[in-house]
Amino acid sequence: MSSSSDAMSGSDAMSSGSAMSSGSGAGSDADRGPHAALYARHQAVLPDWLAVYYQRPIEITHGEGRHVWDAEGNRYLDFFGGILTTMTAHALPEVTKAISEQAGRILHTSTLYLDRPMVDLAERVATLSGIPDARVFFTTSGTEANDAALLLATTYRRSNQILAMRNSYHGRSFSAVGITGNRGWSPTSLSPLQTLYVHGGVRTRGPFAGLSDGEYIKACVADLEDVLGQAHGNVAALIAEPIQGVGGFTSPPDGLFAAFREVLDRHGILWITDEVQTGWGRTGDHFWGWQAHDRSGPPDILTFAKGIGNGMSIGGVVARAEVMNCLAANSISTFGGSPITMAAGLANLTHLVEHDLQGNARRVGGLLIERLRAACAGLDTVREVRGRGLMIGIELVEPGTGDPHPEGASAVLEAAREGGLLIGKGGGHNSSVLRIAPPLSLTVAEAEEGAEILETALKSTRSARSVS
């Protein structure tokens, strides 16, 4: 269903500049509707750098299944899930029931007291992580989870040197920004860490793009060895997203991190896998993204967030006991492990496992990506359709040049919303990649509906540019 205004906010899915809402025409004229009035208030009290989708942003008021509605009554098929966070479904009965029942008992206690829902969820996560003798620390976001992982790694290794991937994104805290290899999301060069960036996150661009997968892995390993040769003594850890989320759903060949792990192990360097976007079966083939590289065995540290809470604020770190327990000082978490968020997470995870939503992501995601590849065949504005499971990226380029095309991505985003579909954006600092990540319960019929809307949006914006 089309609507007369533009939709959906997203704080980690787009960069400044052309990807940001321009605000033109959306000002303070309340008689233009509830969206314009609310946006005027938003601009008056919130930071200019808080990214918002669409030229005239809208308010999402409620959702059900794979659909959401805005304040003007328009219905949308949701292919972005609040930035890969609505993992199972909007208003999932099991989750809303768990939240309601826990809220009726107690909302908050802090980690100073025993918390049964936290222990219950930690036991499930520890087992599912694959990490032996695992310990789990809950946070309120992926940013905070990665921050905690960096604290653990640097303390354990007595070093502030971190290896990170080019084009990466790990959050908005001071330390997470310091290891983010995507300049569109790194507003300062100041950092408590010394970050050394290595190749391997983007398969089809850069100096190794023309190599075979085997040669690509060898070249990236050689680059890693060269970077380590320039480090000052110990390096604490390598942190890497198995599939780069904000970077545009890019990924290396399977097995790259296994090859990296051989080098890391020789130097005693820890491996942190950032599963904030790839965890819980979203890739379809695996429960965790690291398992595509499983010759290396489980990581030393795993971070997670987003989908586990299905909208509730949950993040966390899993590490083997030796690493997790290396901190000598006391610590607590006021809001991490909150009884109400833990109850929601446990209900959501139980639903995901019992209904094999990983398998659904593999089956429906496989159909969706092939449908999108067919739709994009012959379009000179589409460089690549890539992804795994229900984590799909469409990279747009300027016709005839191969250069990133952020304006084109913005136009498709707008056209898709007008057609009744919400998607996201990402891809380096220029946001030229359309990001598609629906709830894992997506049906075949909904996948076809969304693909048809997106195909129309891609072709209509291409035609409009051709005419102009």
Side-chain angles (χ1 to χ4, degrees), residues 80-443:
F80 203 41
I83 318 172
L84 292 85
T85 298
T86 304
M87 178 170 68
T88 49
H90 291 281
L92 185 72
E94 293 91 329
V95 173
T96 56
K97 180 174 183 286
I99 292 170
S100 177
E101 290 180 349
Q102 182 59 51
R105 292 189 290 269
I106 191 167
L107 289 172
H108 175 73
T109 60
S110 89
T111 56
L112 289 172
Y113 306 96
L114 293 176
D115 181 342
R116 187 174 299 275
M118 181 169 65
V119 174
D120 289 342
L121 185 56
E123 289 173 340
R124 293 288 302 277
V125 171
T127 299
L128 289 167
S129 73
I131 296 175
D133 194 23
R135 300 292 187 272
V136 182
F137 174 69
F138 289 107
T139 67
T140 61
S141 69
T143 291
E144 190 185 348
N146 284 329
D147 193 77
L150 293 169
L151 174 64
L152 291 171
T154 55
T155 301
Y156 184 80
R157 288 282 292 160
R158 308 304 300 171
S159 169
N160 74 334
Q161 293 182 100
I162 295 291
L163 296 164
M165 308 298 293
R166 300 183 182 195
N167 196 52
S168 59
Y169 174 82
H170 298 287
R172 53 176 169 68
S173 69
F174 191 43
S175 66
V177 163
I179 57 164
T180 287
N182 180 330
R183 67 180 172 90
W185 290 94
S186 186
T188 176
S189 62
L190 301 176
S191 175
L193 303 166
Q194 181 182 3
T195 308
L196 309 169
Y197 291 103
V198 297
H199 284 288
V202 183
R203 177 65 184 91
T204 59
R205 285 191 182 273
F208 306 147
L211 303 176
S212 69
D213 284 354
E215 292 170 335
Y216 180 93
I217 290 174
K218 287 181 181 178
C220 290
V221 169
D223 175 66
L224 172 62
E225 295 269 24
D226 181 65
V227 168
L228 287 175
Q230 301 175 48
H232 299 283
N234 288 347
V235 170
L238 165 72
I239 185 168
E241 305 157 273
I243 297 176
Q244 293 184 331
V246 173
F249 292 169
T250 64
S251 61
D254 290 356
L256 174 73
F257 293 117
F260 275 7
R261 189 68 180 276
E262 294 177 8
V263 177
L264 300 178
D265 285 349
R266 288 202 306 269
H267 295 271
I269 300 169
L270 301 179
W271 176 29
I272 305 169
T273 182
D274 179 342
E275 302 276 355
V276 168
Q277 297 195 33
T278 50
W280 319 111
R282 176 162 289 282
T283 68
D285 293 336
H286 306 99
F287 197 76
W288 303 107
W290 69 261
Q291 290 170 320
H293 309 266
D294 64 0
R295 288 187 294 113
S296 58
D300 299 292
I301 303 174
L302 179 151
T303 62
F304 62 86
K306 291 193 181 287
I308 181 61
N310 207 45
M312 298 296 281
S313 298
I314 306 177
V317 184
V318 190
R320 66 179 192 269
E322 179 187 10
V323 175
M324 184 67 82
N325 295 333
C326 73
L327 303 182
N330 292 324
S331 191
I332 59 168
S333 182
T334 303
F335 293 108
S338 152
I340 195 166
T341 60
M342 296 294 97
L346 188 60
N348 193 45
L349 181 57
T350 298
H351 178 89
L352 175 124
V353 172
E354 290 183 350
H355 290 80
D356 187 25
L357 294 192
Q358 177 187 338
N360 191 67
R362 181 176 62 253
R363 292 185 295 272
V364 180
L367 294 171
L368 179 57
I369 195 169
E370 291 308 316
R371 172 68 173 81
L372 291 172
R373 282 174 174 156
C376 294
L379 292 180
D380 57 2
T381 53
V382 176
R383 180 176 183 270
E384 183 181 23
V385 179
R386 56 179 176 254
R388 201 168 218 159
L390 287 172
M391 194 172 185
I392 301 169
I394 301 177
E395 183 178 347
L396 301 187
V397 293
E398 291 276 6
T401 70
D403 294 336
H405 193 12
E407 295 82 6
S410 294
V412 175
L413 198 79
E414 297 276 0
R417 186 216 54 76
E418 289 185 9
L421 178 70
L422 303 185
I423 57 175
K425 285 196 300 182
H429 64 276
N430 44 50
S431 291
S432 58
V433 178
L434 306 175
R435 297 169 68 200
I436 298 157
L440 303 190
S441 56
L442 186 75
T443 67

